[in-house]
Amino acid sequence: MKLVYVFDAYCGWSHAFPGTLQEVIARHPDLPVEVVSGGLFTGQRRVPIREFGFIKGANVQVTAQTGARFGDAFNAVLDEGSFVMDSEAAARGLIALRQAAPERAAELAIAMQKAFFHEGLSLSDAKTYRKIADEFGLDSDAVVVAFKTAVPDADFQLAARFGVSGFPTLIAVRGNDAYALARGHANIEQIEQRLAGLLASQ
């Protein structure tokens, strides 16, 4: 069995999930974790962030329910309003980082969200991935090259095959069967209860 974490790097609820994800990984070090990008802001949804008037209120709700914080640099980007969130570019960034250190994919995905939601950095900018690569001791030149050439269609298609329509979603995959452990906000106790039943039936 393995875990598949489907997230979108520009999703505020995904930004709130890392603590829970890290706890699941810590409790089950024997379960491989695959990280897949969703396509929340693609196509006609690639517009200035000011067009999504709900974001500021949604982030207040995220903080109230999960304790997740949003940095001053991100809030400045949100207030200025012209930044365009592009999930296709963010997915290319995840692919580049994931190729460099597949066993650290979850950590790298979390670092991407920290870069945006705390530091206000663009996930469409190669310099952001160079910075993350350097922080993780990876080959930053190779990461930047991969970012520029990666094709995220396989990630988006995999998310669709799992029936993911919201982020984050954590899935347990056993053979040809997939079981949702969390859709959106879920605490560690809820996930552990669902996972325990699957592990017991192996």
Side-chain angles (χ1 to χ4, degrees):
M1 188 162 68
K2 68 177 180 179
L3 301 177
V4 178
Y5 176 55
V6 187
F7 88 124
D8 190 283
Y10 283 121
C11 168
W13 286 104
S14 293
H15 168 59
F17 198 71
T20 303
L21 178 64
Q22 289 172 317
E23 182 67 19
V24 173
I25 293 170
R27 293 188 186 193
H28 302 279
D30 54 320
L31 292 180
V33 181
E34 182 178 348
V35 182
V36 177
S37 288
L40 186 58
F41 298 101
T42 57
Q44 295 181 347
R45 287 174 62 83
R46 285 186 283 198
V47 296
I49 198 169
R50 70 169 67 92
E51 300 294 323
F52 300 99
F54 62 86
I55 288 180
K56 187 170 290 189
N59 289 351
V60 171
Q61 185 181 6
V62 169
T63 298
Q65 291 195 28
T66 70
R69 299 292 178 181
F70 298 84
D72 292 341
F74 163 75
N75 286 322
V77 169
L78 187 57
D79 289 339
E80 193 278 331
S82 65
F83 179 76
V84 176
M85 296 179 290
D86 182 350
S87 294
E88 188 270 344
R92 289 192 286 113
L94 175 68
I95 291 168
L97 293 167
R98 194 172 65 199
Q99 287 176 349
E103 75 286 354
R104 304 181 74 184
E107 295 176 72
L108 292 163
I110 292 167
M112 287 175 60
Q113 296 213 277
K114 179 183 176 185
F116 179 62
F117 285 109
H118 286 279
E119 301 169 38
L121 300 179
S122 170
L123 300 179
S124 295
D125 190 337
K127 293 193 292 291
T128 299
Y129 301 101
R130 183 176 295 279
K131 178 177 183 293
I132 294 172
D134 286 341
E135 289 172 351
F136 279 76
L138 306 177
D139 184 339
S140 57
D141 289 337
V143 167
V144 168
V145 170
F147 166 67
K148 292 178 179 178
T149 59
V151 178
D153 293 3
D155 272 38
F156 296 161
Q157 290 166 5
L158 182 57
R161 283 204 302 274
F162 281 127
V164 174
S165 58
F167 310 102
T169 297
L170 182 63
I171 301 166
V173 178
R174 184 171 60 195
N176 294 322
D177 298 321
Y179 308 87
L181 301 176
R183 295 185 187 275
H185 177 54
N187 61 42
I188 186 65
E189 290 77 18
Q190 292 168 325
I191 293 171
E192 282 295 299
Q193 184 177 18
R194 294 163 189 160
L195 191 53
L198 292 174
L199 291 171
S201 63
Q202 285 194 117

